[in-house]
Every structure is written in C-alpha cells, then in structure tokens.
C-alpha cells in the first residue's frame, strides 16, 4: 500500500517533470527551475545547474533522453509493470526507484548485466550523464521487450 502510494506520487512528479522537460526543450526553462525548487531538486539538480550555465545541445540531448525515459516509466505505470525488475521480476526497492525513477531492473540484475559486459548501458545516473558519459545509451526495444 505504501509502495503504491509512493508510485502514485512519483507518477505525479514524473508527469510534471515531463511537461517541464518538454517546455525546456522548447527553450523555456522556467517551469523546470520552479519544479526543481519545489521538489528540493533531488532528481535533477545537476541538470539544473548545467541548465543555468548554458543551454547546450548536449543538455537538450540529455533532456530528450530523460523525457523518453519518463515516457517509458509512465507507460510502465499504466500497464502496472512499473517498479518490477524486467529480468528477475522482483519488486525494485523503493529507495532505488526514488533515486532512479526510470530503473527497470533491480540492483542485482543491473550489476549482473554490467559485469557480463553485454550490458545495455541503461543508466539514469545524472553524474555519469553529465560528466560527458556518451556511453549512456538507452535501448528502447530492450525496455519494451520485457
Ligand atoms: Zn532483478
């Protein structure tokens, strides 16, 4: 029950963030900024800092990638598969979802994927994204196939 409540709240945040990102991509960062102030900026801090520095094409790329991640997460919420690991089907701990709302696998499976070398490279890790990690590449066919 608490878990469902958390997911409902997260969904609201994601919807707001999706709208903010859409506007940001259209060149309007005001909503994104106010949203980050409201939520304490725990999700998108780093991105916001970068946004304040400059609106670069790279940022737009990150934003559109996040936007796509949000769409996937919202779709999974609609279908009821949100928060379930795509690989072992366990419930992804809320702490992980809070830190990484777009996670589609649990930590164990993600690690296993990474260590097997063939990892899809999926990561919502902001520091990595913004550090210039061109290695972050979301494969949506993989996400949808689950
Ligand atoms: Zn798993």
């Amino acid at each position: 029950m608490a878990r469902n409540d958390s997911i409902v709240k997260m969904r609201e945040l994601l919807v707001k963030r999706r709208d903010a990102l859409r506007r940001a991509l259209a060149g309007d960062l005001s909503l994104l900024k106010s949203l980050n102030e409201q939520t304490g900026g725990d999700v998108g801090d780093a991105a916001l800092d970068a946004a304040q520095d400059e609106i670069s094409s790279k940022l737009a790329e990150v934003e559109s990638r996040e936007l796509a991640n949000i769409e996937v997460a919202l779709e999974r919420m609609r279908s009821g598969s949100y928060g379930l690991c795509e690989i072992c089907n366990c419930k992804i701990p809320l702490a992980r979802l809070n830190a990484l709302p777009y996670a589609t696998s649990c930590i164990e499976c993600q690690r296993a994927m990474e260590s097997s070398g063939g990892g899809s490279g999926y990561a919502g890790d902001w520091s990595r994204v913004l550090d210039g990690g061109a290695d972050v590449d979301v494969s949506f066919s993989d996400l949808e196939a689950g």
Side-chain angles (χ1 to χ4, degrees), residues 85 87 96 100 103-115 119 121-124 128:
C85 175
I87 293 159
R96 174 164 165 81
L100 197 59
T104 56
S105 63
C106 66
I107 291 171
E108 286 78 8
C109 289
Q110 168 123 19
R111 282 197 186 134
M113 271 193 300
E114 280 166 2
S115 65
Y122 174 76
R128 261 204 277 167

Side-chain angles (χ1 to χ4, degrees), residues 85-108:
C85 175
E86 283 192 325
I87 293 159
C88 71
N89 221 30
C90 70
K91 286 182 179 175
I92 300 170
L94 275 178
R96 174 164 165 81
L97 290 175
N98 282 326
L100 197 59
Y102 325 124
T104 56
S105 63
C106 66
I107 291 171
E108 286 78 8

Side-chain angles (χ1 to χ4, degrees), residues 5-52:
D5 289 348
S6 297
I7 288 176
V8 166
K9 280 196 192 108
M10 202 175 291
R11 183 173 183 280
E12 285 169 11
L13 283 177
L14 285 179
V15 167
K16 279 185 194 163
R17 191 159 175 84
R18 179 187 62 184
D19 293 345
L21 281 171
R22 280 181 178 162
R23 283 175 59 169
L25 284 168
D28 177 5
L29 289 168
S30 58
L31 185 59
L32 187 63
K33 283 178 187 172
S34 67
L35 202 56
N36 272 281
E37 279 157 21
Q38 277 171 32
T39 58
D42 54 336
V43 175
D45 249 346
L48 183 62
D49 286 347
Q52 281 163 342

